[in-house]
Amino acid sequence: MDQIEIFKALSNKTRLQILAWLKDPELNFPDQAVNGFDNGVCVGQIQNKAGLTQSTVSEYLATLQRAGLVKSTRVGQWTYYQRNEDAFAQLSQLIQSDI
């Protein structure tokens, strides 16, 4: 776990919002409920909710993925993202024990 990468990723308001949205995808992305959330949330859904360009959202998601905070799954032409809850457990442990 690279602490610097994690804290850099968390230093942006929109990236924090994306992580919060992905914590409860059923509530935050109701338009995707038809397809389910087994693979996570489609980038397009995240982009629509954020109101930003696809390239900006993709860069934010890439930053979160490099930090290990989200995982991606590719299905055909679509990419889905979900939180990496193991990373959040490790981060919580780090904060409690080392910081």
Side-chain angles (χ1 to χ4, degrees), residues 45-94:
Q45 294 287 327
I46 298 169
Q47 178 196 350
N48 288 341
K49 189 161 183 77
L52 300 170
T53 65
Q54 189 271 335
S55 61
T56 299
V57 170
S58 290
E59 180 54 39
Y60 285 170
L61 289 166
T63 298
L64 292 170
Q65 188 170 17
R66 279 191 303 273
L69 298 171
V70 297
K71 302 181 281 186
S72 67
T73 303
R74 188 109 171 128
V75 179
Q77 64 181 353
W78 310 109
T79 303
Y80 295 84
Y81 285 87
Q82 55 189 325
R83 283 171 45 121
N84 180 356
E85 295 302 336
D86 290 341
F88 282 92
Q90 291 176 15
L91 179 59
S92 177
Q93 182 65 34
L94 169 75

Side-chain angles (χ1 to χ4, degrees), residues 1 6 10 14-15 22 30 39 41 46 50 53 58 61 65 70-71 75 96 98:
M1 173 179 280
I6 290 171
L10 296 174
T14 303
R15 289 193 294 261
L22 292 175
N39 293 315
V41 176
I46 298 169
T53 65
S58 290
L61 289 166
Q65 188 170 17
V70 297
K71 302 181 281 186
V75 179
Q96 290 177 3
D98 296 349

